[in-house]
Amino acid sequence: MLAALGIWLYIFFLSGVFGLIALRMSKLFFTSKSEDNNQDDSLPPLAILLISGLGIVTALAQFISLQSATGLLTNLFLTITAFVYLLIDRKFSAKIISPYILSIKNIKLVPLILGIGFVALGLHQLSAITLSADTPLYHALSIKYIENHSVIPGLGNFYHRLAFNNSWFVSCALFSFSFLGKMSLNVMSEFLMIFGGFWMLGGLNNILSGKFVAENWVRLGLIPIFLYSFYFPHIGWSATPSPDVPTAVFTWIIFHRFFEIAKNKKRFELNSEFLLLIISASFLVSIKLSAAVILLLPFVVLALSFKKYKKSVLVAIVVGAFIMTPWLARNYYLSGYLIHPFPAIDLFSPDWKIPKDIALAEKNTIQRWAKWPGWFKKPKNVELEDLEYGQWFEIWLANQTLPGLELSLWATLLSSSAVFLIGIIVLLRQQKRYFVEHGAMTLVFLSLFLSWIYWFWAAPDLRFGWGVHWINLNICLFFIASLLLKKVSLEASTQLTMGISTVSLITLGYLIYAHYEQVSARYKMFASGQVSEHILMPKDYPTSFSLKVVEGKVGDAFYENSIYDAPLPASISSAMIGKAVPRGKSFEDGFKDGGTEK
C-alpha cells in the first residue's frame, strides 16, 4: 500500500509537469498578432491538465517502447525531463501551479472527509483480486511483454489477443516498477478511483460553495455509479489494468468539460485549454477505439476555424497526431495493421501481418460477443442472425444483471430526445441567432448522442458503453432540470442539492442491495488478515498453477487458460504456439502466421 501511495504521487507529478509543458507550448504556438483575440488566459481544470499530461507521458513511453523495454530507462528519461523543465521554466510553472495550490483552502469539510475516504478505499482495494475476465486472459501478459521487451513484430500471430493494442497497457507497464525485480505493481485502477473520486467531489464542493449549476450536479450524480463500478461483477474495475476503467473515467471528465464550456462560454475557442482537450481526447481514443466519436466535436471546431485560424488548427492537428502516432505504430508492429482488428484499413504488407481473414474474424467475434455472449440464456436453436432487432434486444435486456438498466436506457433516450426537441423549438424561434448562441451546446449533445448510439449499435457490452451511457444520461437530465429550475431561490437550490445527494446515496444503497450476494462474495475474497499483509506492497497477480510448457521453435514457450504474467514467451494454447513461425532466432524477432509459409 505504501508503495502504491508513492507511485500515485509519482504519476501525479509526471502528469502535472508534462501537462504544464503542453500548456506552455500551446500558449507559445497559439499566441500571434493575428490570433491574440482568440486567446483565453484562464487556467484549465486540474483534471484536464493531468489527463493531457498523462497522455503525453504515455505517448513518449510508446515511442520508446518501439526500440526498448518500458522500465528504468524510460522512467529516468521522463523524470529527468520533468525536473529539467521545472528548473528552466520555473517562473511560468510557479505562476500556473499557485492558483491550484491556493484553491485547496476552499475545500469544504464534507468533501475533504469523503476525499480521505476515497484514498482509504483505494488503498483497501489493493488487496483485492481482479473480477475482470480479460485480465488473466491477456491484460497482465500484454503488460509483461511491454515491461520486458520492445514491441515484437507479429506478436498477434503467437497469441491473437496480444495484438489488441491500447496505450493504457503502456501506462500500466511504465508505472508498474517491475524493473525493481519485486513484482509488477498493479495499481492503476485504484489510482483512477482516487483521481475520478476527487474530480466528482469537486462538484460537491462547488455546490456547497453555493454554485448550484448543472455541471456540478452532473459530477455529484456520477458518484454512486462510479463507486458501484468497482463492485458490480460484470464491470469489476478493482485490481485490473483493463482499459475499460480509464475509458469511462476520462469520457466523463472530457465530455463534462465540453458541456461546461458550451454552457458558460457559448462557443469553443482555439485556446490553450482546447489544445489540452484535444490531447486528452486523442489519448482516450488510443486507449479504446470505441471512444472515437468523442473526436467529432474537436474535428468540427477545427474545420470551422481553419479559414480564420490556420496556424492554431495546424498546431492542434500536429499535437493530436503526436499522441496517436506511437499507438498506430505499435498496432502496425503487433498486427501489421494501423488499427487492429479493423482490416478494412489495409495499407501495409509486412511479413508478420496477421492474415486478413483472421483479423476480420477477430473483429466479428468481438462485436458478436458484445451482442450475443456465451453466458447469455438464449432460446434453443436460435442464433443472432435469425433475430430481428426487437427480438434480439428483448433477449439482451433479459440477460443484463444491472438493476434498473432498462429504466436508465429509456431515461437516456427520452432525455436526449427532449433536449433535441428543446433545441428545435429554440431554433424555430431564434433562427439565424441560434447557432451563434447555442451552436456549441448543440455540438456537445450531438456528440454525446452519437457516441451512445454507436456503442449500442456496434458493441453493446455494458463495459464498452459504461462511460458514455452515464455521462449522457447525467448531462441530459441535469441540463433539463437546470432549465426548469433556472429561477429557483438559493434556499430551494440548497434543498435540491440535499435531495440529489440523498437520492445518490439511496441509489448506491439500492445497487449494493440488489447484488448483495455477489458483493458479499466479493468481499470474502479479501481473506482474513490479507489487507494487513499488504501494508508495503499491493497484492500480486495470481500464480498460474497449471502452467504448461511446450518446446517451441525459439525455445520453451508457456501456455495456460488463465495466463496472467507467466514466463515469456507465453500464449494461451499450444496450438497457437505451434502455428506461429519465428522470424528469427529469438522470439523478440517476431512471428509470422504459419499459413503464409510455403
Side-chain angles (χ1 to χ4, degrees):
M1 292 184 183
L2 295 179
L5 279 174
I7 293 175
W8 294 339
L9 291 173
Y10 176 62
I11 297 170
F12 183 84
F13 167 74
L14 280 187
S15 301
V17 173
F18 279 90
L20 286 175
I21 294 174
L23 195 60
R24 162 59 93 180
M25 299 305 292
S26 67
K27 288 183 178 295
L28 289 176
F29 284 113
F30 276 18
T31 303
S32 68
K33 291 181 180 180
S34 62
E35 299 178 8
D36 274 345
N37 293 332
N38 200 45
Q39 302 306 303
D40 181 1
D41 291 330
S42 61
L43 290 177
L46 183 59
I48 296 299
L49 184 79
L50 293 174
I51 294 174
S52 60
L54 183 58
I56 295 172
V57 166
T58 302
L60 291 171
Q62 287 183 96
F63 275 118
I64 296 173
S65 75
L66 300 177
Q67 296 294 327
S68 168
T70 301
L72 177 60
L73 292 180
T74 306
N75 277 278
L76 283 176
F77 167 75
L78 293 169
T79 304
I80 292 171
T81 302
F83 277 112
V84 169
Y85 169 74
L86 290 176
L87 182 64
I88 294 174
D89 205 15
R90 53 186 177 275
K91 289 185 179 180
F92 174 82
S93 300
K95 177 184 175 183
I96 299 299
I97 294 172
S98 295
Y100 292 124
I101 295 176
L102 291 174
S103 65
I104 295 176
K105 67 180 183 181
N106 297 322
I107 298 176
K108 304 295 183 183
L109 181 60
V110 173
L112 177 62
I113 294 173
L114 292 176
I116 295 172
F118 267 106
V119 174
L121 187 59
L123 290 171
H124 183 256
Q125 293 298 107
L126 292 171
S127 61
I129 68 168
T130 182
L131 290 182
S132 171
D134 287 335
T135 295
L137 285 178
Y138 75 99
H139 290 168
L141 187 62
S142 296
I143 292 168
K144 185 163 187 175
Y145 273 104
I146 297 169
E147 292 168 343
N148 290 278
H149 303 281
S150 61
V151 63
I152 298 175
L155 189 58
N157 289 311
F158 189 71
Y159 177 19
H160 58 87
R161 287 180 181 250
L162 297 178
F164 292 171
N165 176 51
N166 72 78
S167 60
W168 189 246
F169 287 166
V170 178
S171 301
C172 292
L174 178 66
F175 298 116
S176 72
F177 282 73
S178 64
F179 58 84
L180 296 177
K182 181 67 176 177
M183 59 187 286
S184 180
L185 298 172
N186 175 25
V187 299
M188 293 299 284
S189 65
E190 284 69 31
F191 169 76
L192 289 177
M193 169 184 275
I194 297 169
F195 175 73
F198 281 9
W199 173 74
M200 293 171 202
L201 291 175
L204 175 60
N205 193 75
N206 291 338
I207 290 171
L208 295 177
S209 300
K211 299 175 182 177
F212 302 102
V213 290
E215 50 267 38
N216 291 327
W217 291 342
V218 169
R219 291 161 75 173
L220 174 62
L222 284 169
I223 289 178
I225 199 66
F226 175 68
L227 287 174
Y228 192 60
S229 303
F230 289 87
Y231 300 97
F232 175 40
H234 184 67
I235 303 300
W237 281 1
S238 289
T240 176
S242 170
D244 295 333
V245 188
T247 299
V249 175
F250 294 167
T251 295
W252 292 345
I253 295 173
I254 295 169
F255 262 128
H256 174 273
R257 186 54 184 164
F258 282 144
F259 170 69
E260 195 170 32
I261 293 172
K263 181 174 176 290
N264 296 326
K265 298 183 178 179
K266 308 296 184 184
R267 65 192 181 103
F268 292 105
E269 300 173 335
L270 296 187
N271 54 23
S272 300
E273 182 183 350
F274 195 76
L275 185 66
L276 298 189
L277 284 166
I278 289 175
I279 293 172
S280 301
S282 300
F283 179 38
L284 172 59
V285 174
S286 73
I287 294 173
K288 198 82 168 181
L289 188 60
S290 60
V293 183
I294 201 170
L295 290 176
L296 173 66
L297 190 151
F299 175 80
V300 171
V301 173
L302 293 177
L304 294 175
S305 305
F306 183 74
K307 186 175 181 180
K308 188 174 181 182
Y309 302 110
K310 290 185 176 66
K311 175 186 171 183
S312 294
V313 170
L314 291 175
V315 168
I317 292 172
V318 169
V319 170
F322 169 78
I323 299 297
M324 300 289 285
T325 296
W327 169 68
L328 294 171
R330 286 187 56 84
N331 283 336
Y332 167 73
Y333 280 110
L334 291 171
S335 67
Y337 300 94
L338 281 182
I339 300 176
H340 177 78
F342 290 92
I345 305 176
D346 189 3
L347 304 177
F348 308 101
S349 297
D351 64 350
W352 65 80
K353 185 176 183 178
I354 296 174
K356 193 170 184 177
D357 58 331
I358 295 178
L360 185 61
E362 287 295 329
K363 172 180 177 290
N364 293 336
T365 297
I366 293 171
Q367 293 183 329
R368 183 182 179 84
W369 182 265
K371 295 178 180 179
W372 199 249
W375 54 270
F376 266 19
K377 295 179 181 178
K378 311 164 188 173
K380 291 183 179 180
N381 302 320
V382 174
E383 294 297 330
L384 178 62
E385 294 77 14
D386 302 329
L387 301 173
E388 299 291 336
Y389 182 85
Q391 295 172 314
W392 162 80
F393 177 74
E394 184 178 344
I395 296 172
W396 179 88
L397 191 61
N399 280 277
Q400 301 304 315
T401 57
L402 178 68
L405 175 63
E406 183 176 9
L407 176 62
S408 73
L409 289 171
W410 279 111
T412 302
L413 182 61
L414 294 175
S415 60
S416 299
S417 301
V419 167
F420 283 110
L421 179 60
I422 293 170
I424 292 171
I425 294 172
V426 176
L427 174 61
L428 294 175
R429 289 183 176 181
Q430 295 186 345
Q431 297 182 0
K432 293 182 179 180
R433 290 191 299 112
Y434 175 84
F435 289 102
V436 175
E437 296 185 13
H438 307 290
M441 188 64 80
T442 301
L443 187 55
V444 170
F445 281 115
L446 184 62
S447 298
L448 273 170
F449 188 67
L450 289 178
S451 295
W452 188 71
I453 290 294
Y454 175 73
W455 157 63
F456 208 79
W457 170 75
D461 188 301
L462 281 183
R463 295 173 301 158
F464 303 157
W466 198 252
V468 71
H469 174 63
W470 294 110
I471 192 64
N472 195 348
L473 176 60
N474 274 34
I475 286 180
C476 287
L477 287 179
F478 286 115
F479 176 72
I480 294 171
S482 69
L483 295 179
L484 296 175
L485 303 170
K486 197 170 184 179
K487 297 183 179 180
V488 297
S489 64
L490 179 62
E491 181 180 354
S493 296
T494 304
Q495 294 172 351
L496 180 63
T497 302
M498 294 302 296
I500 293 173
S501 302
T502 302
V503 169
S504 297
L505 290 174
I506 293 174
T507 301
L508 179 60
Y510 168 69
L511 289 170
I512 293 175
Y513 170 77
H515 278 293
Y516 173 76
E517 291 184 359
Q518 292 168 308
V519 172
S520 176
R522 186 186 188 289
Y523 267 104
K524 290 177 182 177
M525 296 174 185
F526 295 85
S528 177
Q530 193 172 51
V531 173
S532 62
E533 295 170 3
H534 295 282
I535 297 299
L536 180 60
M537 306 293 284
K539 184 178 177 66
D540 200 355
Y541 290 115
T543 303
S544 299
F545 292 106
S546 57
L547 193 66
K548 305 172 185 67
V549 66
V550 61
E551 185 176 346
K553 298 169 185 175
V554 287
D556 289 343
F558 302 87
Y559 68 97
E560 211 262 295
N561 287 334
S562 295
I563 196 72
Y564 282 106
D565 58 344
L568 303 182
S571 181
I572 200 169
S573 72
S574 58
M576 202 168 291
I577 294 172
K579 187 179 179 183
V581 176
R583 296 177 66 245
K585 295 181 179 180
S586 167
F587 75 87
E588 293 179 313
D589 296 322
F591 299 92
K592 297 182 287 186
D593 178 72
T596 62
E597 292 292 288
K598 301 293 185 182

